[in-house]
Amino acid sequence: GDKNGEATSYGNLGTVFQSLGEYEKAKEYLDRALAIRIQIDDKKGQASSYGTLGTVFQSLGEYEQAKKYLEKALSIKIQIGDKNGEASSYGNLGTVFQSLGEYEKAKEYLERALAIKIEIGDKNGEASSYGNLGTVFQSLDEYEKAKEYFEKALAIKIQIGDKNGEATSYGNLGNVFQSLGEYKQAKEYLEKALAIKIKIGDKNGEATLYGNLGTVFQSLGEYKQAKEYLEKALAIKIEIGDKNGEATSYGNLGNVFQFLGEYEKAKEYLKKALAIRIQVGDKNGEASSYGNLGTVFQSLGEYEQAKEYLEKALAI
């Protein structure tokens, strides 16, 4: 009869399903946790449930819903005087505005998060805020600014001994260099990130970096290397049960086969990615898969099919 513990258990299960990319299941458990939190009037727990649900909606590409839930979390955090939670809410809202392409708004919220993190002396949170701001500048194609913020994040992560965060910062810097077409630098930073991820046993991070390195090799026209790295990423994603990551790997491999002119193989992999995207309810990923399949059918001269798939992508 421990309602509080019951809510915590539902919440924890929700975050596990979220990590597995099973967002509908995550939503179901988090909603149960929230209902109990409201029933027993646990304000802090309510804010936590609203916040997590917000990030689930964000993963599903339902940004308006995400915004609504994160704003509810924020208002409670301010009301109960939880500065750390307030900063986290600002940070999450910032990333939602970034997804919506509202970069000025994103910057404003992430800067608020950063200010609080500095004020309360949360070095780790400060570094995360620098990292998030870096990704906003990256989205705006302001790569020098992005680099500056990622380097600030990296310096703090090294200072506080956060190996995982250090790897993430190297990875982010690698992606910036990739965007700048500086593939040698990109490779160097991504390999540094990968070495740390392997050392600390972060299988998910390892897979992501294999994927990123795969796309770098693809940009260099080294398709055999690209395929090898993307297959490594796929194998890990399947092993750890990350459906979302599995779909991304199939999609990336599909694009490599398309570049190689192996259109049947490309179609097969892109359809696998699409099936998972539909299964986990990832509308944004589903649209990308339809778009990629559309270009494959176009390359095959199957224009009616191409049109059908591109229209599906556009509708989403």
Side-chain angles (χ1 to χ4, degrees):
D2 175 4
K3 298 308 276 181
N4 193 35
E6 188 184 336
T8 302
S9 298
Y10 281 130
N12 290 338
L13 278 161
T15 57
V16 168
F17 284 115
Q18 184 181 6
S19 300
L20 290 167
E22 296 184 34
Y23 300 119
E24 289 307 320
K25 203 87 179 157
K27 249 175 26 183
E28 180 192 324
Y29 277 79
L30 292 166
D31 279 333
R32 284 184 192 176
L34 177 61
I36 296 170
R37 298 292 191 194
I38 292 168
Q39 182 194 333
I40 64 177
D41 198 31
D42 173 5
K43 293 307 231 185
K44 195 174 185 189
Q46 279 175 50
S48 178
S49 295
Y50 281 129
T52 311
L53 277 160
T55 59
V56 168
F57 284 115
Q58 188 176 355
S59 299
L60 288 165
E62 297 180 31
Y63 300 120
E64 288 306 320
Q65 274 285 65
K67 222 166 71 174
K68 185 173 87 174
Y69 276 77
L70 291 170
E71 278 165 355
K72 281 182 180 178
L74 174 63
S75 77
I76 296 171
K77 294 291 190 184
I78 292 170
Q79 181 195 332
I80 64 176
D82 177 0
K83 297 303 281 181
N84 195 36
E86 185 185 338
S88 296
S89 297
Y90 280 131
N92 289 336
L93 278 161
T95 59
V96 168
F97 284 118
Q98 186 180 352
S99 300
L100 288 165
E102 297 182 33
Y103 298 118
E104 286 310 313
K105 202 92 179 153
K107 247 172 36 181
E108 179 195 325
Y109 276 75
L110 292 170
E111 277 163 359
R112 282 185 195 177
L114 175 63
I116 295 171
K117 293 295 190 182
I118 292 170
E119 180 199 330
I120 64 177
D122 177 2
K123 298 304 281 181
N124 197 34
E126 185 186 336
S128 295
S129 297
Y130 282 130
N132 289 337
L133 278 160
T135 61
V136 170
F137 286 116
Q138 192 174 351
S139 300
L140 289 165
D141 296 337
E142 295 182 32
Y143 297 119
E144 286 310 314
K145 201 87 181 155
K147 234 165 59 175
E148 180 193 324
Y149 276 77
F150 287 141
E151 279 164 356
K152 281 182 180 179
L154 176 63
I156 295 171
K157 293 296 191 183
I158 292 170
Q159 180 197 335
I160 64 177
D162 175 3
K163 298 307 281 180
N164 195 35
E166 185 185 335
T168 300
S169 299
Y170 281 130
N172 287 336
L173 281 161
N175 293 336
V176 168
F177 285 116
Q178 186 176 0
S179 299
L180 287 166
E182 298 179 29
Y183 299 120
K184 196 178 169 196
Q185 275 282 60
K187 233 168 63 176
E188 183 191 322
Y189 276 79
L190 292 170
E191 279 165 355
K192 279 183 182 177
L194 177 63
I196 295 170
K197 292 293 191 182
I198 291 170
K199 187 178 174 190
I200 65 177
D202 176 2
K203 299 303 281 180
N204 194 35
E206 184 186 337
T208 300
L209 286 157
Y210 280 131
N212 290 344
L213 278 160
T215 60
V216 168
F217 285 117
Q218 187 177 337
S219 300
L220 287 165
E222 298 179 29
Y223 299 119
K224 194 179 169 194
Q225 274 282 62
K227 222 169 72 175
E228 183 191 321
Y229 275 76
L230 293 170
E231 280 165 353
K232 281 182 181 178
L234 175 63
I236 294 171
K237 292 295 189 181
I238 291 170
E239 180 198 330
I240 65 176
D242 176 3
K243 299 305 281 180
N244 208 26
E246 187 184 336
T248 300
S249 299
Y250 279 130
N252 287 336
L253 278 161
N255 293 336
V256 168
F257 286 119
Q258 189 175 356
F259 275 110
L260 289 167
E262 297 183 33
Y263 299 119
E264 287 307 317
K265 201 88 179 158
K267 239 168 45 179
E268 179 195 328
Y269 277 76
L270 291 169
K271 279 181 172 169
K272 282 182 181 178
L274 175 63
I276 295 170
R277 298 294 191 192
I278 292 169
Q279 180 196 335
V280 301
D282 176 4
K283 299 307 279 181
N284 197 35
E286 188 184 333
S288 293
S289 297
Y290 281 129
N292 290 336
L293 278 160
T295 60
V296 169
F297 284 116
Q298 190 175 343
S299 300
L300 287 166
E302 298 178 29
Y303 300 116
E304 283 308 313
Q305 274 282 62
K307 218 171 74 175
E308 181 193 324
Y309 277 77
L310 292 169
E311 279 166 354
K312 281 181 181 178
L314 180 63
I316 295 170

